[in-house]
């Protein structure tokens, strides 16, 4: 049985003070319910320390939104894995579609970041997903399979890896994939993993869904056999909504 994982990706939102308040509100609301899934929060870099302080004694994981693949050096604007680890991050997201779309991230650079994070003992959430054009051209499975294969290139052990299927057309658009559409891609990803790593590893791998997940649609998405939780954008910026989604996964 795979333990579901729900992570709030706050993207480029919240000042340090606002982030601390939101994390505290999430923590407080979670306290009054039974939570059986893994929960994480990915604030922007400047707020990691503040959110880390708030969640320090809780089960909430501190997650970074990106990392660089070098240890240190002349890489203006980048943050290394050991810097993130020093702030208490246990997870890092790599390959988010916004990084691919706006910041030149490719399957190759995603693979480098993933390798570096795993080498440093950090767990990784690797995002994959097709654009609307790719879906309409009928190449969803081909694109996603390629992202999975290349992103995981030369990775022998999937122990520290979570995948997130985030169809680009469903992110921030209010247009969620139907549970059936999502399940179809999740099942195909699991088949790819099974071909690469065997059935046992594929059975253990967690695959989150992301893209306009809300309290109103979370339960039916999470009820699908291959959907193991969610990567939540917009709805994670409201403590009440995020906690409702966490409870839907519990
Ligand atoms: P939304 O939930 O805002 O669609 O964002 C999803 C996402 O990109 C999470 O990483």
């Amino acid at each position: 049985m795979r333990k579901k994982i729900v992570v709030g990706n706050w993207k480029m939102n919240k000042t340090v003070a606002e982030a601390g308040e939101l994390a505290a509100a999430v923590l407080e609301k979670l306290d009054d319910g039974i939570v059986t899934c893994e929960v994480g929060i990915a604030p922007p870099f400047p707020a990691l320390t503040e959110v880390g302080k708030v969640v320090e004694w809780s089960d909430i994981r501190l997650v970074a939104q990106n990392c660089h693949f070098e240890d240190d050096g002349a890489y203006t604007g980048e943050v290394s894995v050991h810097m993130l680890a020093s702030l208490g991050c246990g997870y890092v997201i790599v390959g988010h579609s916004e990084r691919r779309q706006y910041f030149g991230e490719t399957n190759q650079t995603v693979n480098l970041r993933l390798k570096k994070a795993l080498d440093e003992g950090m767990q990784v959430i690797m995002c994959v997903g097709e654009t609307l054009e790719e879906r309409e051209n009928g190449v969803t499975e081909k694109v996603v399979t390629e992202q999975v294969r290349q992103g995981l290139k030369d990775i022998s052990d999937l122990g520290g890896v979570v995948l997130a299927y985030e169809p680009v057309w469903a992110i921030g658009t209010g247009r969620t994939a139907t549970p059936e559409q999502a399940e179809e891609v999740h099942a195909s990803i699991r088949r790819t993993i099974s071909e690469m790593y065997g059935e046992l590893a594929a059975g253990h791998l967690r695959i989150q869904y992301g893209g306009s997940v809300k309290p109103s649609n979370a339960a039916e998405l999470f009820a699908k056999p291959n959907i193991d939780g969610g990567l939540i954008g917009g709805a994670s910026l409201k403590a009440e909504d995020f906690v409702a989604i966490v409870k839907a996964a519990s």
Side-chain angles (χ1 to χ4, degrees):
M1 181 75 175
R2 295 181 294 269
K3 188 174 191 175
K4 286 193 169 33
I5 172 166
V6 177
V7 173
N9 175 10
W10 292 359
K11 306 191 179 182
M12 196 175 75
N13 292 290
K14 304 294 173 189
T15 63
V16 173
E18 290 165 351
E21 283 167 22
L22 178 55
V26 168
L27 196 57
E28 192 194 318
K29 289 190 194 318
L30 277 178
D31 253 2
D32 66 13
I34 296 167
V35 173
T36 56
C37 65
E38 198 173 351
V39 181
I41 292 178
F45 288 138
L48 279 168
T49 303
E50 185 64 22
V51 172
K53 273 191 244 161
V54 174
V55 303
E56 193 175 0
W57 302 108
S58 77
D59 290 329
I60 297 180
R61 314 267 190 237
L62 189 62
V63 181
Q65 295 178 16
N66 187 27
C67 66
H68 194 55
F69 45 80
E70 295 292 347
D71 288 326
D72 37 42
Y75 300 100
T76 302
E78 292 292 326
V79 175
S80 72
V81 176
H82 69 252
M83 291 171 189
L84 297 172
S86 75
L87 298 176
C89 286
Y91 272 97
V92 60
I93 297 171
V94 300
H96 192 281
S97 67
E98 287 147 16
R99 305 271 344 146
R100 295 177 190 257
Q101 200 175 345
Y102 306 127
F103 303 101
E105 196 81 71
T106 63
N107 287 334
Q108 285 68 38
T109 57
V110 171
N111 175 248
L112 289 173
R113 291 175 210 275
L114 181 134
K115 268 192 215 151
K116 173 53 79 180
L118 291 179
D119 282 352
E120 301 275 329
M122 194 166 290
Q123 308 206 59
V124 181
I125 297 173
M126 182 178 87
C127 304
V128 297
E130 82 288 3
T131 62
L132 183 58
E133 195 186 354
E134 288 162 342
R135 174 158 285 262
E136 286 173 346
N137 289 334
V139 293
T140 297
E141 188 168 334
K142 182 170 172 277
V143 168
V144 171
T145 301
E146 198 59 16
Q147 290 172 334
V148 169
R149 286 194 178 272
Q150 290 194 26
L152 295 176
K153 192 163 177 275
D154 299 330
I155 302 297
S156 55
D157 183 356
L158 282 187
V161 178
V162 172
L163 296 185
Y165 168 58
E166 298 204 309
V168 178
W169 49 272
I171 295 177
T173 59
R175 194 179 154 188
T176 326
T178 64
E180 292 69 31
Q181 282 174 321
E183 171 63 17
E184 189 183 359
V185 181
H186 281 235
S188 134
I189 293 172
R190 209 176 294 286
R191 278 196 302 277
T192 302
I193 296 296
S194 181
E195 284 163 24
M196 296 171 74
Y197 296 93
E199 227 170 285
L200 191 64
H204 280 114
L205 178 78
R206 294 180 295 176
I207 310 173
Q208 299 173 292
Y209 169 78
S212 299
V213 178
K214 303 180 275 271
S216 58
N217 60 20
E220 53 175 359
L221 283 159
F222 299 160
K224 290 291 176 193
N226 284 294
I227 301 183
D228 308 309
L231 190 52
I232 319 301
S236 70
L237 296 172
K238 276 172 109 181
E240 217 174 274
D241 287 359
F242 182 63
V243 169
I245 293 169
V246 168
K247 288 182 180 168
S250 294

